[in-house]
Amino acid sequence: MERGSSNGSRPCGRARPAAVMDGLQLQWVLDPQGFDMVGRFRQYADRLLRSVTAAGTGLPADA
């Protein structure tokens, strides 16, 4: 199977952030008091930026 294509088992590159957000929302619905959705999405976005930037930098500390 071609890289980045959707075969039903893994979301392709453009759909991945939406899939992550969907999963985070589900976890928040199950435990709204104990789940930090903003913090978890920030961790995901930081890892994503580190993997795609030439310098390997993530989100700024104050973002």
Side-chain angles (χ1 to χ4, degrees), residues 33-55:
Q33 299 301 318
F35 186 73
D36 178 15
M37 184 165 41
V38 173
R40 294 289 178 99
F41 188 77
R42 188 181 193 298
Q43 289 174 346
Y44 166 74
D46 184 63
R47 281 193 314 270
L48 179 63
L49 283 176
R50 288 177 192 280
S51 72
V52 298
T53 58

Side-chain angles (χ1 to χ4, degrees), residues 2-26:
E2 198 174 304
R3 184 176 180 197
S5 65
S6 179
N7 64 4
S9 64
R10 260 177 61 178
C12 62
R14 288 174 287 196
R16 191 166 290 135
V20 167
M21 203 54 210
D22 190 42
L24 293 175
Q25 289 172 351
L26 179 59

